[in-house]
Amino acid sequence: MNIFIVGGAGYIGSHMVKRLGQLGCAVTTLDNLSSGHRDAVLCGEFLHGDLADTALLANLLQPGRFDAVMHFASFIQVGESVQQPAKYYANNVTNTLHLLDAMRAAGVQRFIFSSTAATFGEPQYTPIDERHPQAPINPYGRSKLMIEQVLEDYDRAYGLKSVCLRYFNAAGADPQGELGERHDPETHLIPLVLQAASGRRADIAVFGRDYDTPDGTCIRDYIHINDLCEAHWLALQSLMQGAGSQRYNLGNGAGFSVQEVIEAAQRVTGKPIAVRDAPRRDGDPARLVADATLARQQLGWAPQFPDLETIVAHAWGWEQKTSGGKP
Ligand code: UDP
């Protein structure tokens, strides 16, 4: 299979490129390297370019060249999206429309889209299944929901089949230690906690201890990066077999609090981790947990690394490697 991967140099995309390469697919990655890393693209062809470059897209997406497109290139910081919505709508919406137009022109009819739990907004109930109303509360979530809606319309009008995968909290790293999370600046909990354990950071700030949860800290559903990649692979196969468009929530269905993540990191690393209490972060719901029954039933998806300590251990392997091998 020939797969076009946009954003293949980023955290999730790079793990996907590796996986598809192992599965024998021919992979072409397009990435503008605004946050990704060239050396994270471990196989296939790499092209440095931007989705805003419509001539480049038209040239790349020649009829018959690709069986499917996976789209990982987006801006993902909720707080930044509130301050700079134009940046988010330009990249996450307009540039995605360029990609879809180029696909239409080339007759590429299969698309896998990285969506997010942020499309749901403040949960009305948990765990969150696909029937939960989508009412995002920030431009990031809205930009992703807009594309989900565009994809419904494009299926109806143009027959483009898509799978929207709504990630809850992507975490962990390549178990073989070749890839991991490299955001700059890093804003995600697990890598930050591990940087505090390795000594790269003085401490970890806990954003709020007064939530309506058993220990007062926010609860999230952490899902291993390889399990996310497996869901993409299964979604790709289902599209290849002629399935219709689908949307799936992807998580383990188990929530862990910020405090529990810190304690798991202490157990995994054997290091003391200095903790600092900080105010709540804007836009953080108390509890986000996925009901992924539909993906399990329809795709046959079964997470291989559901255990929080395993997720943290893989991320710790990566942190040790990138922090200069400090024990
Ligand atoms: N969090 C925290 N301290 C940090 C970073 C994150 O307490 O330095 C909390 C955050 O408020 C949220 C959870 O950890 O409740 C997961 O945040 P992250 O940014 O990793 O993912 P998000 O849930 O925003 O997608």
Side-chain angles (χ1 to χ4, degrees), residues 220-240:
R220 293 290 178 274
D221 186 339
Y222 297 89
I223 174 80
H224 196 288
I225 187 91
N226 274 31
D227 290 329
L228 284 184
C229 291
E230 181 63 12
H232 286 73
W233 171 241
L234 294 169
L236 175 63
Q237 285 175 297
S238 81
L239 289 181
M240 294 303 293

Side-chain angles (χ1 to χ4, degrees), residues 37-238:
H37 305 271
R38 171 66 187 90
D39 62 3
V41 183
L42 297 181
C43 62
E45 187 184 358
F46 176 79
L47 297 156
H48 185 193
D50 199 282
L51 288 179
D53 187 345
T54 51
L56 171 76
L57 285 178
N59 194 32
L60 266 170
L61 286 158
Q62 294 291 333
R65 182 167 175 195
F66 296 109
D67 297 297
V69 175
M70 291 186 182
H71 181 26
F72 296 95
S74 62
F75 295 134
I76 58 165
Q77 286 183 43
V78 168
E80 184 185 62
S81 81
V82 175
Q83 273 128 35
Q84 301 180 53
K87 175 177 170 178
Y88 276 70
Y89 291 120
N91 189 46
N92 296 4
V93 179
T94 309
N95 281 346
T96 303
L97 294 179
H98 292 323
L99 175 62
L100 294 174
D101 283 346
M103 286 175 60
R104 273 207 299 139
V108 185
Q109 290 283 60
R110 301 179 194 94
F111 187 63
I112 299 185
F113 179 60
S114 300
S115 190
T116 169
T119 59
F120 292 108
E122 198 64 50
Q124 294 179 9
Y125 59 85
T126 56
I128 298 173
D129 59 16
E130 289 77 5
R131 283 185 298 267
H132 190 288
Q134 287 177 293
I137 54 172
N138 52 60
Y140 167 63
R142 277 192 278 276
S143 73
K144 292 287 185 174
L145 180 57
M146 282 176 192
I147 294 299
E148 287 200 11
Q149 291 167 336
V150 164
L151 288 170
E152 270 181 50
D153 293 337
Y154 276 34
D155 184 358
R156 208 172 293 118
Y158 311 127
L160 185 130
K161 300 299 170 202
S162 64
V163 180
C164 295
L165 297 176
R166 300 175 185 137
Y167 314 151
F168 278 62
N169 285 63
D174 171 33
Q176 283 139 14
E178 290 187 295
L179 297 166
E181 204 160 353
R182 286 158 84 184
H183 297 117
D184 186 18
E186 188 53 76
T187 59
H188 293 114
L189 179 65
I190 291 180
L192 288 174
V193 170
L194 295 175
Q195 288 177 10
S198 72
R200 268 215 272 184
R201 209 169 270 274
D203 55 22
I204 178 72
V206 173
F207 296 151
R209 285 196 181 271
D210 56 350
Y211 286 95
D212 184 16
T213 60
D215 66 21
T217 66
C218 284
I219 290 177
R220 293 290 178 274
D221 186 339
Y222 297 89
I223 174 80
H224 196 288
I225 187 91
N226 274 31
D227 290 329
L228 284 184
C229 291
E230 181 63 12
H232 286 73
W233 171 241
L234 294 169
L236 175 63
Q237 285 175 297
S238 81

